[in-house]
Amino acid sequence: MKGKVFVIGLGLIGGSLAMAVRHAHPEAVIVGMDLSEKNIQLSMLLGIIDDSVSSLEAGACEADLILLAVPVNETVKILAQLADMDLKSEVLISDAGSTKDTVVKAAKPLIDKGVAFIGGHPMAGSHKSGAAAAKLHLFEHAFYLLTPGDSIKEEKVEQLKGWLQGTRANFLIVSPATHDKLTGVISHFPHIVASGLVKQAENYSKENKLISRLAAGGFRDITRIASSSPEMWRDILLHNREVLLELMNDWLNEMEHIKGLVANEDSEEILRFFTDAKIFRDDLP
Ligand code: NAD
C-alpha cells in the first residue's frame, strides 16, 4: 500500500509495528514522533522511520494511517487532541495499548466525526522497552486483538489488517470489554502477582542476603515480567481497574482457601490443588 504512516511512540511496540509495515509496504513513507529524542535518533539510524516530526498536528494531518504505541494514559490524551484536528477524511487510526475499554471510549469523539478508529492490541512483547528492543518478527504467529466499534465498516478493518500484514500475526475481533477481561486474566493480573513476589523476596532479602543469590531458576522464570516498564503497567492497572479489582478478590479467596488447607494439613486437597493446576497447565497450547 502507498501512503503516509504516522507512528506515535517509537518504543518496543511502535518500532516493531513500523518495521512490519515497512516490510510489507516498502513504498509507504513512515513518519515517527516520540517524547524521547534518543528513540527518535535510534529509529532514524535503524531505518525504522523515514522522518520525524515534533508536533502531533504535523504528523497527523498528512497521515493515511496513524498508529499509537504509547502508554495507555497518553493514548487517551492524544486521541482527544486528534479529535480537534483536521485529519484526512479517509485516515485510519489504531493503537497498540494493552487495555481497550477506556481507549475506545476516548476515541468516541473521533468516531462520531466519522473517523475510522479501530482499537488494537498485538499480544506479544517483552520486558524490554525502547526502539533498541524493536524487532521485525516480534508479532509473528501471535494473536492481534482488534476492537472495531459497530459503526466501523468491514472494509476499514480489512484495510487495517492489510497495513499490518507484515506482523504475520493472527487477527481476532473481540469487544473492548471481552478484551479487557481476557487480558486481565492472562496478562495484567499475573503481572501484579509477579511484581508482588519480587517485593516479597526483596523484603526477606533485608533479613538474609542469600535470598538474592538463591533466587534463580523457577523464581526468575515466573518473575521475568516484573522487569517491564513501570509507567506502562501503572497505566494498565488504572485503565483495567474494575476487572483487576474483581480478579484480586477471586485471588484473595483462593489464597484463603489454600491457607486453610495448609493450616489444617489437608494433604488430599493440597494434592488436588496442584493436580488440577498441572492438568490445565499441561493442556495449554
Ligand atoms: P516503550 O516504553 O518501549 O515505548 C513507548 C514510547 O512512547 C517511548 O519511546 C516513549 O518515549 C513514548 N511516549 C510516551 N508518551 C508519549 C507521547 N505523549 N508522545 C509521544 N511519544 C510518547 O513501551 P512499549 O512496550 O512499546 O508499549 C507501548 C504500548 O504498547 C503501551 O500502550 C503498551 O500497553 C502496549 N503493549 C506493550 C506490550 C509489551 O510487552 N511491552 C505488548 C503489547 C502492547
Side-chain angles (χ1 to χ4, degrees):
M1 288 178 181
K2 273 193 186 149
K4 245 188 187 169
V5 180
F6 181 34
V7 182
I8 308 167
L10 299 165
L12 167 74
I13 301 296
S16 303
L17 285 176
M19 283 175 166
V21 169
R22 158 103 63 226
H23 185 70
H25 309 284
E27 64 286 12
V29 175
I30 304 181
V31 177
M33 181 181 159
D34 200 292
L35 293 181
S36 144
E37 193 52 41
K38 186 179 145 217
N39 274 342
I40 295 175
Q41 300 278 334
L42 202 56
S43 300
M44 289 290 286
L45 205 70
L46 296 172
I48 294 175
I49 56 172
D50 298 299
D51 206 354
S52 70
V53 286
S54 50
S55 85
L56 194 59
E57 200 148 15
C61 295
E62 302 258 299
D64 299 287
L65 171 69
I66 302 176
L67 293 173
L68 289 96
V70 293
V72 190
N73 229 22
E74 295 301 309
T75 303
V76 166
K77 289 188 212 156
I78 293 171
L79 287 172
Q81 288 173 264
L82 291 175
D84 288 332
M85 290 178 193
D86 201 9
L87 305 175
K88 280 191 177 176
S89 60
E90 291 301 312
V91 66
L92 252 180
I93 308 181
S94 188
D95 77 307
S98 304
T99 65
K100 289 277 74 76
D101 200 45
T102 54
V103 168
V104 172
K105 282 184 181 137
K108 193 169 180 301
L110 274 165
I111 295 169
D112 288 348
K113 274 176 71 178
V115 174
F117 173 83
I118 299 169
H121 180 191
M123 302 269 299
S126 111
H127 55 285
K128 295 182 185 157
S129 21
K135 281 188 200 145
L136 169 62
H137 300 296
L138 186 65
F139 310 114
E140 206 167 304
H141 308 308
F143 284 109
Y144 198 132
L145 302 183
L146 297 177
T147 63
D150 294 339
S151 62
I152 304 297
K153 291 194 187 114
E154 180 61 31
E155 71 183 70
K156 286 288 180 187
V157 178
E158 290 308 313
Q159 204 182 337
L160 180 64
K161 287 186 194 169
W163 272 115
L164 297 172
Q165 71 185 52
T167 58
R168 304 190 60 190
N170 298 315
F171 295 100
L172 270 187
I173 309 271
V174 290
S175 73
T178 302
H179 169 278
D180 286 2
K181 186 70 187 251
L182 295 174
T183 54
V185 174
I186 55 109
S187 165
H188 306 167
F189 188 71
H191 199 95
I192 299 173
V193 175
S195 296
L197 290 172
V198 173
K199 286 194 87 69
Q200 189 174 49
E202 185 195 5
N203 288 339
Y204 282 106
S205 75
K206 287 172 194 147
E207 284 171 25
N208 193 330
K209 296 281 168 234
L210 268 177
I211 288 269
S212 309
R213 288 174 60 197
L214 294 176
F219 188 83
R220 286 184 74 89
D221 285 350
I222 56 171
T223 58
R224 180 184 51 80
I225 53 178
S227 290
S228 311
S229 155
E231 291 80 14
M232 179 179 111
W233 281 97
R234 173 200 56 203
D235 283 13
I236 291 173
L237 263 60
L238 296 175
H239 284 263
N240 204 10
R241 191 171 154 269
E242 298 299 327
V243 167
L244 290 172
L245 288 174
E246 194 188 323
L247 290 170
M248 279 182 215
N249 281 334
D250 292 349
W251 180 258
L252 291 174
N253 289 337
E254 182 76 32
M255 285 299 113
E256 274 303 322
H257 172 65
I258 299 156
K259 191 176 161 190
L261 300 183
V262 176
N264 296 325
E265 297 177 46
D266 190 337
S267 147
E268 204 174 304
E269 284 302 313
I270 293 173
L271 183 67
R272 190 197 304 274
F273 168 74
F274 285 116
T275 306
D276 288 351
K278 176 174 164 47
I279 290 170
F280 189 75
R281 178 66 177 82
D282 288 352
D283 266 1
L284 291 178

